[in-house]
Amino acid sequence: MIKTIFAVFRFFFYLIVRQGKQRKMFALQKAGNFSERDKLIAPMIRDWAKYVVNLSGKKTTVSVSGQENLPMDRAVVFIANHQSYMDIPVLLGYVKKPMAFIAKVEILKVPFLSGWMNLMQCVFLDRKSPHQSVKDMEGAVEKIKNGYSMLIFPEGHRSKGAAPGVFKPGSFKLAFKSGAPVVPVTIDGTWKLFEGSNRLKPADVFVTIHPPVMTENLSKEEQRELVSRVESTVLSSLSPSSRG
């Protein structure tokens, strides 16, 4: 427990000491210099994410296969299973393509963290207001069209080592409305880093990046089939211990 509390302190301390750099990036954003902002923030987010993963212990390993499947010339929608709070740091730190993600609007109340997420082009979803949720998702579609890849977890909640949840079809609307390819991603083992014992501890994590699936000009029936196919693809690479 002491290790976990200390890790939380280090998590925020890392962000606090970089507030000067954050202000510089917000100045670039305010000036409309988005390319320079993005150039500066990408390596910082990658380093921070790896730092967070390493808080679990020196023996933690992250193995990623399928990096060659990433389309580097356009934005994509990453569709992944959701095992742990550590899923996002693992993907941000070890997948060789910058991405933003959909988060609950409540995270805006978390000091120091929300500013970085804003710079990354994350989208904050207000689930208590259906009207606002629609506007939030429309904003996410525009970000994808502007070249920012998005990550979404269609289960809607963490499985924590239990059987994965059903993929919600609505989660795929970002891809269908933007026309961006879907990149299925399997995350295996992150639940062991924290959720398995409610304390941070080292584990072996495996990430599989599957070939992209095109989403443009699909009929409603083809969209439904795509959801089922992507879900099967993601779950196919899970180890027996992660299937519940």
Side-chain angles (χ1 to χ4, degrees), residues 79-81 154 166-169 172 175-176 180-186 210-237 243:
I79 295 289
N81 61 305
V166 176
F167 281 24
K168 296 177 174 60
F172 288 73
F176 297 147
V182 163
V183 175
V185 178
T186 305
H210 302 275
V213 180
M214 299 299 110
T215 64
E216 294 177 305
N217 302 317
L218 298 180
S219 65
K220 294 295 183 181
E221 183 177 348
E222 290 171 328
Q223 290 179 358
R224 287 192 292 271
E225 189 276 332
L226 183 147
V227 172
S228 177
R229 178 155 47 98
V230 168
E231 180 176 5
S232 296
T233 297
V234 171
L235 300 185
S236 68
S237 294
R243 293 176 180 270

Side-chain angles (χ1 to χ4, degrees), residues 125-140:
L125 190 64
D126 186 355
R127 298 186 179 183
K128 295 180 181 179
S129 170
H131 176 70
Q132 185 60 44
S133 292
V134 171
K135 292 183 65 176
D136 294 336
M137 294 302 283
E138 289 175 350

Side-chain angles (χ1 to χ4, degrees), residues 52-97:
V52 172
V53 173
N54 289 334
L55 291 176
S56 62
K58 294 182 179 180
K59 293 184 179 180
T60 291
T61 64
V62 179
S63 303
V64 183
S65 61
Q67 298 271 20
E68 69 279 3
N69 291 322
L70 292 170
M72 302 306 292
D73 60 341
R74 63 183 300 186
V76 304
V77 175
F78 290 97
I79 295 289
N81 61 305
H82 197 13
Q83 293 188 336
S84 166
Y85 285 126
M86 297 295 277
D87 291 342
I88 289 177
V90 164
L91 296 184
L92 292 178
Y94 295 89
V95 173
K96 296 178 180 178
K97 187 175 178 67

Side-chain angles (χ1 to χ4, degrees), residues 196-214:
S197 59
N198 288 324
R199 66 179 66 181
L200 284 169
K201 65 178 185 178
D204 296 323
V205 176
F206 302 89
V207 177
T208 305
I209 303 170
H210 302 275
V213 180
M214 299 299 110

